[in-house]
Amino acid sequence: MAGEQWRVWAARIAVVVAAVVVFVALSKLWTFANQDDPAVVEQGSISRLATAACARMRESAVASSVATTAPVPRRVGAINAQNDAVVELVTTMQTLGSARLEADQPASQWLEDWQRLVVARDAYARSLASGKPKPLQLPTIDGRPLVERLNNVGLNCRVPLVLLAP
């Protein structure tokens, strides 16, 4: 009988240990599934609005583009019009409210990066207008180039090439 009782207790212990292991594994999976990825925008409302706003921005940017051989005032005007399209994108996204944007970590940083692009392009436009053009200088943030940060947040909103070659 002692051998049989031992097997019953061993079976009970094995069942309890298996249940604990399954519980721990499921709780870890649940935590992982509900954790915000700090590198990717995941909220559907942000993604949908960004997709629509980016499409409008791309259309405006392309429509405003001029050849690099165009007269300087016309080039500066095109750069300003393209910057206005980016500002419109940022303004549209901000209608979601800061609480919602900050709830999905990279969303607010993404908008700040678009504003950084506008600042860099504006500096280039001013240097062009002054007759002393300096190359477009895009910043690097936390060791990552600005364009990489803008393009890699999981949104369907890549920086149009016309914004990078004013």
Side-chain angles (χ1 to χ4, degrees), residues 39-41 50 54 57-58 83 86 89-90 93 106-121 136-141 144-161 163-164:
V40 177
V41 174
C54 280
M57 182 268 299
R58 276 191 302 270
N83 285 350
V86 174
L89 161 73
V90 172
M93 294 304 297
S108 59
Q109 292 171 355
W110 180 71
L111 293 177
E112 289 173 15
D113 287 344
W114 280 108
Q115 292 168 330
R116 286 182 177 109
L117 179 62
V118 168
V119 168
R121 288 172 46 81
L136 177 63
Q137 295 287 344
L138 297 178
T140 299
I141 299 97
R144 292 179 57 208
L146 181 65
V147 174
E148 179 184 316
R149 285 173 52 102
L150 286 167
N151 288 343
N152 295 324
V153 293
L155 294 173
N156 182 16
C157 189
R158 299 186 64 78
V159 179
L161 294 178
L163 295 182
L164 302 177

Side-chain angles (χ1 to χ4, degrees), residues 17-18 22 35 37 39 44 53 60 64 66 68 80 88 97 123-124 128 155 158 164:
V17 168
V22 167
Q35 190 174 27
D37 183 348
S60 294
S64 301
V66 296
T68 56
N80 290 335
E88 184 180 329
Y124 173 75
L128 189 63
L155 294 173
R158 299 186 64 78
L164 302 177

